[in-house]
Amino acid sequence: MDLWETFATNLRRLRNVRRWSQGELAYEARISRSYLSKLEKGAYYVSIKIIGRLANKLDVEPAELLKRSSNRG
């Protein structure tokens, strides 16, 4: 899994842990829901500024969004 896919997977997982819809997280992070959807699909690149906003709203360190899973299955 490349870093782009890792980010997308972590973003989707962390949003689901909080039980937020894409619309709720997008609103909180001040981005559009369609942009968030594209990020979760790995279709768009993301800036450090947006990573920071998302991490802040998800209450995690920005590095958590880029951390590769230790599960190799």
Side-chain angles (χ1 to χ4, degrees):
M1 183 180 303
D2 68 12
L3 193 54
W4 202 1
E5 292 173 286
T6 298
F7 171 79
T9 299
N10 287 337
L11 177 57
R12 188 172 40 255
R13 177 181 55 79
L14 291 166
R15 178 180 59 77
N16 286 328
V17 165
R18 305 250 312 137
R19 295 193 162 124
W20 279 2
S21 68
Q22 286 181 340
E24 290 168 320
L25 178 55
Y27 176 81
E28 291 294 326
R30 301 184 330 262
I31 60 175
S32 73
R33 193 213 50 83
S34 62
Y35 180 63
L36 179 63
S37 174
K38 298 287 187 183
L39 292 177
E40 287 189 357
K41 291 177 184 174
Y44 283 174
Y45 288 108
V46 64
S47 71
I48 290 174
K49 180 178 181 177
I50 299 300
I51 289 174
R53 278 193 212 165
L54 291 167
N56 182 289
K57 296 304 173 182
L58 292 167
D59 199 28
V60 297
E61 291 296 319
E64 188 68 26
L65 289 165
L66 303 173
K67 186 190 267 184
R68 294 177 198 257
S69 173
S70 59
N71 297 340
R72 307 278 182 199

